[in-house]
Amino acid sequence: MRCGIIRGMNASTAPTSVQQPRRVERLVTGQPTQDGAGVKLTRVLTHDLQQRLDPFLMLDHFASDNPDDYGAGFPDHPHRGFETVTYMIAGRMRHKDSAGHEGLLQNGGVQWMTAGRGLVHSEMPEQEAGVMEGFQLWLNLPGKDKLCTPWYRDIQSAEIPELVTAAGVTVRVISGESQGTAGAMQRHASDYPTQPLYLDLHFPAGGAAFSQPLAASHNAFIYVYRGAVDVVNAQGEATPVPLHRMAILANEGDGVSLRTAGAGPARALLIAGQPLREPIAQYGPFVMNTRDELMQAVHDYQAGRLG
Ligand code: FE2
């Protein structure tokens, strides 16, 4: 069984304007932690938010100019049952997996990996100095696809479609669609129910605004990684989202309306997807539907069947 196959998309009939923008349901401060062999990072989307932000399981933000914070990297480790989406803002990371695949992820590029039934891989910095910054998002797979054939794609920065709005906001469309521009990753809803939207928004200085239609059923959040952004609700009231905060957007209305807060420029991720509404059973790098499936994953890993 395969999953993650890209197909051509038909012309979009998606709405382009927003009349009833969502309000902020909750602001979240990430938790400083370490992962891999001791990489310091901020876990923005933590375990306790997995149900609320279904189908998203985790979002990490790593950002440091100190090699002691990132140099140890993420040596060989397994995954099963979900997808990892790694977006490099600055720096270089080399990945190698147990099937012999290897690639270099760098400045502005994305690796979209469907772990499916499982693999063992490493993600190691390819630099000994300088800034390393990026994000890793974990996106759940429906039960029917959790044991599919592993698959991944390295998307170089130049392959990520970009648009610039009339207000001067640069939109990098990693997946989904914005203002008629289809993202780098496109898959049909019929065999890919989560339909993730992943936008990187670069706001110029001076209060530029940006709106994105969203289905009310899709769970959605923004994460501000430069400057500060206002979320403007249907009454025209602004909720400021400070630097390094996530805003969970209420499931209502027909989209989200954002603008810079203050005079300076800002950058934010806008991420949304259709919830799977399936049981989530996680044990470290394995995310399945049931405890039995988790035990099978651990057993398969220990028996060397993931590599
Ligand atoms: Fe990994």
Coordinates of all heavy atoms in Angstrom, one line a residue, residues 9 35 97 101 105-106 118 133 140 161 178 185 196 283 296:
M9 N -3.8 18.6 -9.5 CA -5.0 19.2 -8.9 C -5.8 19.9 -9.9 O -5.2 20.5 -10.8 CB -4.6 20.1 -7.8 CG -3.9 19.4 -6.6 SD -4.9 18.3 -5.7 CE -6.0 19.4 -4.7
D35 N 15.7 17.3 22.6 CA 15.3 16.1 22.0 C 16.5 15.6 21.2 O 17.6 16.3 21.2 CB 14.1 16.3 21.1 CG 13.2 15.0 20.9 OD1 13.8 13.9 21.1 OD2 12.1 15.1 20.6
D97 N 18.2 7.7 5.8 CA 17.3 6.7 6.3 C 17.7 5.3 6.0 O 18.7 5.0 5.3 CB 15.8 6.9 5.9 CG 15.5 6.5 4.5 OD1 16.3 5.7 3.9 OD2 14.5 7.0 4.0
H101 N 18.1 6.2 1.5 CA 17.8 7.6 1.1 C 18.6 8.6 1.9 O 18.9 8.4 3.0 CB 16.3 7.9 1.2 CG 15.4 7.0 0.4 ND1 14.5 6.2 1.1 CD2 15.4 6.7 -0.9 CE1 13.9 5.5 0.1 NE2 14.4 5.8 -1.0
L105 N 18.9 19.2 3.7 CA 17.8 20.2 3.9 C 18.4 21.5 4.3 O 19.2 21.6 5.2 CB 16.9 19.6 5.0 CG 15.6 20.2 5.3 CD1 14.7 20.2 4.1 CD2 15.0 19.4 6.4
Q106 N 18.1 22.6 3.5 CA 18.8 23.9 3.8 C 17.9 25.1 3.6 O 16.8 24.9 3.1 CB 20.1 24.0 3.1 CG 19.9 23.8 1.6 CD 21.3 23.7 0.9 OE1 22.3 24.2 1.3 NE2 21.3 22.9 -0.2
G118 N 7.0 2.5 8.8 CA 8.2 2.7 9.7 C 9.5 2.8 9.0 O 9.7 2.1 7.9
E133 N 18.1 27.3 12.4 CA 16.7 27.6 12.8 C 15.7 26.8 11.9 O 15.9 26.8 10.7 CB 16.4 29.1 12.7 CG 14.9 29.4 13.2 CD 14.6 30.8 13.3 OE1 15.3 31.7 12.8 OE2 13.5 31.1 13.9
N140 N -0.6 13.7 11.7 CA -1.0 12.4 11.9 C -1.5 11.8 10.6 O -1.9 12.5 9.7 CB -2.2 12.3 12.9 CG -2.2 11.0 13.6 OD1 -1.5 10.0 13.3 ND2 -3.1 10.9 14.6
P161 N 6.2 27.5 -3.9 CA 5.5 28.6 -4.5 C 5.3 29.8 -3.5 O 5.0 29.6 -2.4 CB 4.1 28.0 -4.9 CG 4.3 26.6 -5.0 CD 5.4 26.2 -3.9
S178 N -3.3 29.2 -1.2 CA -3.6 30.6 -0.8 C -3.7 31.5 -2.0 O -2.8 31.5 -2.9 CB -2.4 31.1 0.1 OG -2.8 32.3 0.7
M185 N 3.1 20.9 -1.8 CA 2.5 19.5 -1.6 C 1.0 19.6 -1.8 O 0.3 20.4 -1.2 CB 2.8 19.1 -0.1 CG 4.2 18.7 0.1 SD 4.6 17.1 -0.7 CE 3.7 15.9 0.2
P196 N -3.7 19.3 4.8 CA -3.1 20.3 5.6 C -2.8 21.6 4.8 O -2.4 21.6 3.6 CB -1.7 19.7 6.0 CG -1.5 18.6 5.0 CD -2.9 18.1 4.6
Y283 N 3.6 6.5 21.7 CA 4.7 6.1 22.5 C 5.9 6.6 21.8 O 6.4 6.0 20.8 CB 4.7 4.6 22.7 CG 5.9 4.1 23.6 CD1 5.9 4.4 24.9 CD2 7.0 3.5 23.0 CE1 7.0 4.0 25.7 CE2 8.1 3.1 23.8 CZ 8.1 3.3 25.1 OH 9.2 3.0 25.9
Q296 N 3.0 -3.5 19.0 CA 3.5 -4.1 17.8 C 4.6 -3.3 17.2 O 5.6 -3.8 16.7 CB 2.3 -4.2 16.8 CG 2.7 -5.0 15.5 CD 3.0 -6.4 15.7 OE1 2.3 -7.2 16.4 NE2 4.2 -6.9 15.3

